[in-house]
Amino acid sequence: QEPLVESGGGLVQAGGSLRVSCAASGSTFGRDVIAWYRQVPGKQRELVAQFTIGGNTVYTDSVKGRFTISRDNTKNTVYLQMNSLKPEDTAVYYCNYVLRPRSWGQGTQVTVSS
């Protein structure tokens, strides 16, 4: 099964906003939940935000109130809207299914300058 495809990263100044996208193919989209992760060199990949089985959303503490995960079922796409960005948000952002993860995609680089 093909990995999900992330896009939309870029360079933004601290305090700015960015929206990254996660495109999924196939029929799994409606039967599993998707999460956003991020990774910086030398550190483990961390969970940033996800949908739960019940349709709720969960965020890591450091992004609560700033990031919003959403989905467009007509496009098989999940988004991560990132506001009030901080330099410590700089990372490669990945998405993946939670219950049946696929191989990791290339991710999308988000760089926040101070």
Side-chain angles (χ1 to χ4, degrees):
Q1 291 180 324
E2 295 182 355
L4 285 67
V5 179
E6 304 91 349
S7 63
L11 173 64
V12 63
Q13 288 187 335
S17 298
L18 207 59
R19 188 180 78 163
V20 291
S21 302
C22 170
S25 61
S27 59
T28 307
F29 186 79
R31 301 200 303 270
D32 199 343
V33 293
I34 289 179
W36 278 100
Y37 305 81
R38 65 187 180 188
Q39 188 172 25
V40 298
K43 293 189 176 181
Q44 287 189 335
R45 189 176 284 124
E46 68 165 341
L47 176 67
V48 176
Q50 74 166 91
F51 290 100
T52 66
I53 299 297
N56 295 318
T57 54
V58 177
Y59 299 91
T60 191
D61 286 346
S62 61
V63 308
K64 285 181 181 177
R66 301 188 297 121
F67 289 14
T68 303
I69 188 171
S70 63
R71 63 192 294 162
D72 185 340
N73 293 335
T74 65
K75 297 180 179 180
N76 280 14
T77 300
V78 173
Y79 304 98
L80 185 67
Q81 176 68 44
M82 303 180 289
N83 299 327
S84 301
L85 281 161
K86 303 175 181 180
E88 51 263 43
D89 295 317
T90 296
V92 179
Y93 284 72
Y94 301 88
C95 59
N96 209 336
Y97 289 110
V98 174
L99 300 180
R100 298 175 182 83
R102 297 186 178 180
S103 57
W104 292 99
Q106 293 186 337
T108 185
Q109 175 72 48
V110 172
T111 303
V112 184
S113 63
S114 58

